[in-house]
């Protein structure tokens, strides 16, 4: 573990899992998709714990993943061939008769590049034949299966497999935040996220036309099929995809030059299969899995992760399955006496990844990494929730200060100009950009055992100081006359009064709660 980037095959990743820090693809979503696939391989090979107690032992003692590497290495090459004529890996060979006519260039496979299919009205960007290396195409295909956004496929339903193949359902992880528990090595990360499963792993989805799983048709929209185990869940084929083999022009290495993408499988998911889901409330008061937002940075909702750990149910010997947060909550604190034969528990991290998309257009990936220390879930929840509340209050105070400046600076405004005029003094965007780093520091200090009250006081002082500076600089543009001085004084006075208000979090006034 030198910190250098190295290339590994799937088998190599599992063989060297405890010697590699992590896997890192071009986007957070691609990295999550690859982790999902490695988890599926572990399950398919029988490399997973049966109970919560066994899971904890696996994590604490670094249980070897060599069984998964050996299983994969012993698989027949033909069964793991990306370009197999009848059972291509991860693909739907039934699309073969239509690939040449209805397919597009390999850019269609990369969800960040496809856009809404109207970026260029003649689809030239999708038809461009520049090949995509086979390894990149494979990882992009995995990302499509997991994160493919909803919309209409560029495939004819009438001329191919049926009308519903054009209706792209939203991917299993596309509409929610996926939380991955990160360890200090790839091996530890996989062990942390291997859900104990006592009823068998289910069937690995090697190809649409392989195995015993009954696949959907495309004449009518089907109901979601039940998941038969974790190997099935983590390898499900969320898209019907077929890749046409080619060669890279200069090197002759395997590549893909044409792609056909249509609707894939639909799953009926149950609560035990939603191990990492964190629930949050919408503005209308409805509860749903925490989602990614383009306008709201995820760190502002990080307290939901710690709430899931803090509120985890107490151990129950009769239950065979718990969720990720319940299992994490059972680890003893690092300073607890655990006995001479029990290794100390290392700190972990919670990695949150979400996709912001509008129909078929991917807008951005939302991601954040947050510390988790065994036994400190409640403290981290208090710190993150308090930190979010303080940041929200400071932002509201800046908005009111901007309005106070506007009222004096523009005595006779046109209604149509109001928003732009207020924006001149509104520095909330700067506040939000500058607050993420202090928030991460707040959590990092709390995770090491620093008292929460002390951390929150330092954090509040930093945010208030930064915000006052941002506001003062925005007011420098006011004219140097009586009205300008009055507007400046009114804005600063309003900001200071808001921070001193009884409604303000106590830490903004230098007090502990």
């Amino acid at each position: 573990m030198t910190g250098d980037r190295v290339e590994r095959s799937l088998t190599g990743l599992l063989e060297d899992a405890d010697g590699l820090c992590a896997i890192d693809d071009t986007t957070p979503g691609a990295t999550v998709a690859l982790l999902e696939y490695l988890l599926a391989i572990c399950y398919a090979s029988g490399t997973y714990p049966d109970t919560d107690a066994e899971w904890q032992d696996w994590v604490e003692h670094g249980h070897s993943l060599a069984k998964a590497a050996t299983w994969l290495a012993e698989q027949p090459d033909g069964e793991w061939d990306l370009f197999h004529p009848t059972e291509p890996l991860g693909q739907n060979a039934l699309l073969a008769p239509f690939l040449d006519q209805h397919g597009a260039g390999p850019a269609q496979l990369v969800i960040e590049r496809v856009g809404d299919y109207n970026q260029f009205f003649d689809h030239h960007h999708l038809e461009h034949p520049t090949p995509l290396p086979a390894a990149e195409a494979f990882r992009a295909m995995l990302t499509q299966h997991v994160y493919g956004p909803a919309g209409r496929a560029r495939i004819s339903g009438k001329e191919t497999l049926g009308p519903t193949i054009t209706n792209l359902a939203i991917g299993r992880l596309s509409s929610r935040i996926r939380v991955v528990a990160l360890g200090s090595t790839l091996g530890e990360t996989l062990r942390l996220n291997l859900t104990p499963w006592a009823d068998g792993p289910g069937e690995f989805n090697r190809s649409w036309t392989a195995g015993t799983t009954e696949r959907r048709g495309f004449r009518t929209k089907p109901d979601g099929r039940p998941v038969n185990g974790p190997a099935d869940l983590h390898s499900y084929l969320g898209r019907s995809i077929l890749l046409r083999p080619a060669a890279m022009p200069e090197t002759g290495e395997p590549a893909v030059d044409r792609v056909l993408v249509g609707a894939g499988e639909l799953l009926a998911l149950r609560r035990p299969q939603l191990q990492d889901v964190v629930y949050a409330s919408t503005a209308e008061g409805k509860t749903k899995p925490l989602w990614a937002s383009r306008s709201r940075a995820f760190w502002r909702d990080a307290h939901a992760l710690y709430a899931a750990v803090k509120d985890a149910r107490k151990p129950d010997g009769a239950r065979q399955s718990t969720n990720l947060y319940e299992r994490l909550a059972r680890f003893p604190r690092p300073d607890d006496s655990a006995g001479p034969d029990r290794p100390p528990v290392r700190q972990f991290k919670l990695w949150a990844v979400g996709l912001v998309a509008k129909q078929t257009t991917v807008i951005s990936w939302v991601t954040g990494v947050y510390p988790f220390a065994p036994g400190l879930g409640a403290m981290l929840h208090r710190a993150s929730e308090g930190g979010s509340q303080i940041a929200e209050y400071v932002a509201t105070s800046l908005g009111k200060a901007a309005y106070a400046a506007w009222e004096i600076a523009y005595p006779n405004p046109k209604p149509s100009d109001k928003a732009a005029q207020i924006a001149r003094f509104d520095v909330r965007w700067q506040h939000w950009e500058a607050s993420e780093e202090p928030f991460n520091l707040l959590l990092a200090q709390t995770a090491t055992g620093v008292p929460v009250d002390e951390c929150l006081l330092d954090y509040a002082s930093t945010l208030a100081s930064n915000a006052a500076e941002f506001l003062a600089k925005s007011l420098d543009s006011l004219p140097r006359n009586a009205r300008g001085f009055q507007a400046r004084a009114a804005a600063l006075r309003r900001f200071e009064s808001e921070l001193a208000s009884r409604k303000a979090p106590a830490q903004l006034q230098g007090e502990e709660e």
Side-chain angles (χ1 to χ4, degrees):
M1 293 187 291
T2 62
D4 296 330
R5 293 179 64 92
V6 294
E7 292 187 5
R8 290 288 187 273
S9 64
L10 288 174
T11 305
L13 287 175
L14 293 168
E15 288 175 339
D16 300 337
D18 287 307
L20 299 172
C21 294
I23 54 175
D24 183 26
D25 211 326
T26 53
T27 68
T31 302
V32 168
L34 187 51
L35 276 172
E36 293 278 329
Y37 207 66
L38 291 173
L39 290 171
I41 292 171
C42 288
Y43 284 116
S45 67
T47 312
Y48 63 94
D50 291 328
T51 65
D52 292 339
E54 189 176 348
W55 173 86
Q56 186 166 336
D57 182 73
W58 276 41
V59 174
E60 290 180 344
H61 293 88
H63 186 89
S64 173
L65 301 176
K67 181 180 176 181
T70 300
W71 178 86
L72 184 57
E74 292 176 348
Q75 296 295 296
D77 290 343
E79 293 185 0
W80 294 75
D81 183 355
L82 198 62
F83 303 121
H84 193 281
T86 59
E87 297 182 359
L89 185 64
Q91 299 163 66
N92 186 350
L94 300 178
L95 294 172
F98 317 106
L99 178 58
D100 292 344
Q101 179 181 355
H102 296 286
Q108 187 185 17
L109 195 62
V110 183
I111 61 176
E112 296 88 0
R113 294 175 59 186
V114 174
D116 60 3
Y117 303 144
N118 291 307
Q119 183 178 356
F120 300 102
F121 291 103
D122 62 355
H123 302 297
H124 177 74
H125 68 310
L126 292 180
E127 298 293 348
H128 201 284
T130 301
L132 189 66
E136 292 184 30
F138 172 70
R139 297 194 301 272
M141 177 187 70
L142 296 183
T143 310
Q144 280 279 358
H145 284 319
V146 177
Y147 280 106
R152 299 281 291 183
R154 293 186 67 253
I155 180 174
S156 170
K158 295 181 180 179
E159 301 176 34
T160 56
L161 298 180
T164 63
I165 199 168
T166 65
N167 300 328
L168 302 178
I170 192 167
R172 178 170 65 90
L173 301 181
S174 298
S175 62
R176 70 171 180 89
I177 295 291
R178 170 67 160 110
V179 182
V180 177
L182 296 179
S184 59
T185 66
L186 171 60
E188 188 172 60
T189 294
L190 291 173
R191 286 187 288 270
L192 283 166
N193 295 280
L194 281 170
T195 301
W197 209 277
D199 299 328
E203 189 168 7
F204 186 91
N205 294 291
R206 186 168 51 79
S207 172
W208 192 277
T209 49
T212 61
T213 300
E214 184 177 351
R215 310 291 178 190
R216 62 167 289 188
F218 298 101
R219 296 299 169 186
T220 59
K221 180 182 177 180
D223 294 327
R225 68 167 177 83
V227 174
N228 61 45
D232 177 27
L233 175 70
H234 291 283
S235 66
Y236 100 112
L237 305 175
R239 290 283 188 264
S240 285
I241 293 176
L242 192 59
L243 314 177
R244 190 172 74 178
M248 294 301 293
E250 297 181 358
T251 65
E253 294 180 355
V256 171
D257 70 349
R258 201 159 186 81
V259 175
L260 190 55
V261 178
E265 293 201 278
L266 300 176
L267 299 181
L269 298 174
R270 297 183 295 109
R271 184 63 70 94
Q273 294 144 6
L274 303 174
Q275 283 283 307
D276 64 297
V277 168
V278 175
Y279 293 93
S281 297
T282 66
E284 294 77 27
K286 296 181 179 180
T287 299
K288 72 174 200 176
L290 188 61
W291 62 97
S293 171
R294 185 183 185 185
S295 59
R296 183 179 174 88
F298 179 75
W299 67 265
R300 295 165 63 179
D301 294 310
H303 53 87
L305 304 182
Y306 297 113
V309 178
K310 180 180 73 74
D311 298 336
R313 286 171 285 178
K314 300 297 182 182
D316 182 352
R319 296 195 316 134
Q320 292 295 313
S321 178
T322 56
N323 66 30
L324 172 66
Y325 307 103
E326 290 172 301
R327 291 194 297 277
L328 290 175
R330 294 182 181 185
F331 278 116
R333 293 175 62 137
D335 57 354
D336 285 350
S337 176
D341 61 339
R342 194 170 193 177
V345 177
R346 292 182 290 272
Q347 287 194 10
F348 310 125
K349 295 179 181 178
L350 298 176
W351 181 38
V353 178
L355 176 66
V356 179
K358 182 179 181 181
Q359 295 181 328
T360 57
T361 302
V362 171
I363 298 173
S364 65
W365 291 101
V366 175
T367 183
V369 178
Y370 307 98
F372 170 76
L376 296 181
M379 297 299 98
L380 285 163
H381 176 255
R382 184 182 166 205
S384 56
E385 186 173 46
S388 181
Q389 291 172 348
I390 291 169
E392 295 280 1
Y393 190 87
V394 171
T396 300
S397 302
L398 287 171
K400 292 179 178 179
Y403 190 88
W406 169 79
E407 282 186 304
I408 296 175
Y410 297 95
N412 298 301
K414 295 180 180 179
S416 59
D417 295 336
K418 179 179 178 180
Q421 292 167 350
I422 294 178
R424 174 184 176 185
F425 311 114
D426 191 346
V427 293
R428 284 177 292 182
W429 65 274
Q430 286 180 283
H431 161 70
W432 287 123
E433 285 186 354
S435 296
E436 183 171 7
E437 184 175 344
F439 181 83
N440 289 335
L441 179 61
L442 164 70
L443 295 186
Q445 291 176 329
T446 302
T448 63
V450 179
V452 177
D453 289 327
E454 180 181 329
C455 295
L456 284 172
L457 283 172
D458 290 343
Y459 168 80
S461 175
T462 298
L463 261 59
S465 176
N466 289 344
E469 183 177 346
F470 297 146
L471 177 62
K473 287 183 178 179
S474 75
L475 299 171
D476 286 345
S477 64
L478 287 165
R480 300 280 180 174
N481 56 28
R483 188 180 299 280
F485 291 134
Q486 289 174 359
R488 181 183 182 88
L492 294 175
R493 187 166 55 249
R494 182 60 185 273
F495 180 67
E496 292 170 359
S497 68
E498 288 295 323
L499 297 193
S501 170
R502 291 183 178 180
K503 298 181 296 181
Q507 293 86 356
L508 287 170
Q509 299 165 29
E511 302 174 359
E512 297 181 0
E513 286 187 334

